[in-house]
Amino acid sequence: MKKFVISLINEKQRRSHIVREFTQKNVEFDFFDAIDCSQIHEQLEKLQLSKVPTELRPAEIACLLSHLILIQKCVDENLDYICIFEDDIHLSKDIKQVLEHGFQQYHIVKLEAFYPKVIVKKAAQSYMGHHALHRLCSKHLGCGGYIVSQAGALIILEQIRKAEKLIPIDHFIFNYFVQEQRLEVSQILPAVCIQDHILMHNHENFPSALEAQRRERKNYQPKQSTKKTLWTKIKNETYRLQEKITLYVLGKKKVTVKFK
């Protein structure tokens, strides 16, 4: 399996972090020089996306293109599957063992922990030592680490070229495709990688121009904490009970995504 880490060529701190992480876990990889804003127009043309509208900022488009070029590479080089990482991740001690498992039969496998809880199918699809693979049934954003098969890559590229507008790659793969069931997305439990800002709960180690532009586009405002009323607590508990019953009937479960 070819493993690539997307990283801007001048991000020396991030690249040093990645070399250290992968060397410690004895996992081979290659850097993929991320697309910068000066290359956007050229790469949109190459990927046949220049006519798809978008509200994304330049850094967000460049990020999307970096992922899509690697997904296209999976098709162009006739690879069974490809593993894609971002350059701020931490790896589990089990990452090498998990990556040695065969993934040809799956469209997309999410390796990372991003949301605390997600919904998955109860029955595991396969096991890799202490880790299990489950069909993902709810949104689970983030593109810090995932595997795409050639079959999955073909569907992703086809669907994005037909999209009404370009959105972040994780919203395509780990929300839209999951909700619409356009392709099968699976989740490793426990997760075997995690982005630094999720693990540390801040962006101090690896400040991101991408994150700044994303917040600007969304007009981000910090959430204000509010004290829950008794009635709100009752409604929340009622919803949780209803959800639990519904998931049981459908053969699904809500799980905590841990990083181990």
Side-chain angles (χ1 to χ4, degrees), residues 26-244:
N26 195 28
V27 176
E28 294 182 357
F29 77 99
D30 291 299
F31 278 117
F32 173 76
D33 294 339
I35 298 304
D36 64 34
C37 295
S38 68
Q39 300 169 289
I40 287 175
H41 179 73
E42 175 190 356
Q43 297 301 328
L44 283 172
E45 290 284 349
K46 283 185 178 180
L47 288 167
Q48 303 169 41
L49 294 171
S50 59
K51 295 182 180 179
V52 184
T54 186
E55 298 170 358
L56 298 179
R57 299 299 170 91
E60 294 179 291
I61 299 172
C63 176
L64 169 66
L65 290 171
S66 296
H67 284 266
L68 290 179
I69 288 169
L70 284 175
I71 291 170
Q72 181 70 58
K73 186 181 185 70
C74 185
V75 175
D76 293 343
E77 298 186 9
N78 196 29
L79 304 176
D80 288 335
Y81 46 87
I82 191 170
C83 191
I84 300 172
F85 296 97
E86 294 186 340
D87 62 0
D88 62 343
I89 57 160
H90 297 264
L91 301 176
S92 159
K93 59 182 175 59
D94 296 331
I95 185 72
K96 183 177 175 65
Q97 176 191 6
V98 168
L99 293 181
E100 288 173 348
H101 188 75
F103 293 100
Q104 295 96 323
Q105 66 270 45
Y106 306 106
H107 287 151
I108 300 176
V109 175
K110 189 173 180 67
L111 301 172
E112 73 174 315
F114 194 87
Y115 283 176
K117 290 182 180 291
V118 299
I119 296 170
V120 298
K121 285 282 190 181
K122 277 185 182 180
Q125 296 168 297
S126 64
Y127 291 91
M128 293 138 279
H130 300 296
H131 301 265
L133 191 65
H134 289 261
R135 177 75 178 269
L136 185 63
C137 302
S138 68
K139 178 171 72 172
H140 191 198
L141 298 181
C143 270
Y146 60 102
I147 295 167
V148 182
S149 70
Q150 185 175 155
L154 286 166
I155 295 171
I156 291 169
L157 294 166
E158 177 190 16
Q159 291 294 319
I160 290 180
R161 285 168 182 148
K162 296 191 300 186
E164 292 182 3
K165 64 178 181 178
L166 295 180
I167 57 177
I169 185 66
D170 57 333
H171 287 258
F172 269 124
I173 298 178
F174 298 117
N175 185 16
Y176 174 72
F177 290 145
V178 172
Q179 304 296 343
E180 297 293 321
Q181 298 183 16
R182 297 297 175 96
L183 73 175
E184 185 173 307
V185 181
S186 303
Q187 171 74 50
I188 293 281
L189 295 172
V192 289
C193 70
I194 189 169
Q195 289 179 283
D196 185 83
H197 70 93
I198 299 295
L199 184 64
M200 303 300 179
H201 306 289
N202 61 61
H203 289 269
E204 292 178 7
N205 287 337
F206 302 111
S208 168
L210 170 63
E211 183 62 24
Q213 290 193 18
R214 179 182 292 133
R215 291 186 175 211
E216 181 182 301
R217 173 174 59 84
K218 293 181 175 181
N219 193 23
Y220 173 80
Q221 298 292 333
K223 289 184 178 179
Q224 301 294 323
S225 59
T226 56
K227 190 174 182 179
K228 291 182 180 178
T229 64
L230 177 60
W231 175 239
T232 300
K233 291 178 182 178
I234 292 172
K235 285 199 297 183
N236 288 345
E237 286 302 318
T238 303
Y239 171 78
R240 276 193 282 269
L241 178 59
Q242 291 173 335
E243 181 186 51
K244 192 172 183 179

